[in-house]
Amino acid sequence: YVEDVWGVGIRARPDENGIVRREVVENCIKELLEGEKGKEIKKNVIEWRDLARVAVRQGGSSDRNIEEFIAKLVKIRNFRG
């Protein structure tokens, strides 16, 4: 999900024995820090960060969802007495 959907990571693929080799991890880190994929990841991270900030600020979608959840809990509590 992190790599394929969100575009903010690089998958370190295991070998035929299910082991992720040191060289694979090293190559992933180099690509992240120096490669084109790393630049794309940085761009995506900034986009996701900005979307998260909008969602959690007052009036954002996460803020509204929490308010609705609390309102339902209060309603249930008041209903039960």
Side-chain angles (χ1 to χ4, degrees):
Y1 224 81
V2 171
E3 180 183 29
D4 297 334
V5 177
W6 298 331
V8 295
I10 297 174
R11 185 175 298 130
R13 301 196 187 280
D15 65 13
E16 62 279 349
N17 296 318
I19 298 170
V20 177
R21 299 286 176 195
R22 176 181 304 158
E23 299 80 22
V24 172
V25 174
E26 181 181 349
N27 289 335
C28 288
I29 292 170
K30 283 182 181 178
E31 180 62 30
L32 184 63
L33 295 175
E34 302 167 358
E36 288 304 313
K37 185 153 185 156
K39 291 175 187 172
E40 182 69 22
I41 288 171
K42 183 175 181 178
K43 181 180 78 78
N44 291 340
V45 166
I46 291 168
E47 287 178 21
W48 283 111
R49 179 201 62 195
D50 293 344
L51 288 170
R53 284 181 176 165
V54 169
V56 298
R57 73 176 164 211
Q58 190 158 358
S61 60
S62 291
D63 180 60
R64 290 191 316 269
N65 288 337
I66 291 291
E67 292 293 330
E68 290 173 17
F69 177 70
I70 292 171
K72 286 180 184 179
L73 289 178
V74 169
K75 185 186 269 188
I76 290 169
R77 184 170 183 256
N78 290 338
F79 177 73
R80 291 183 180 168

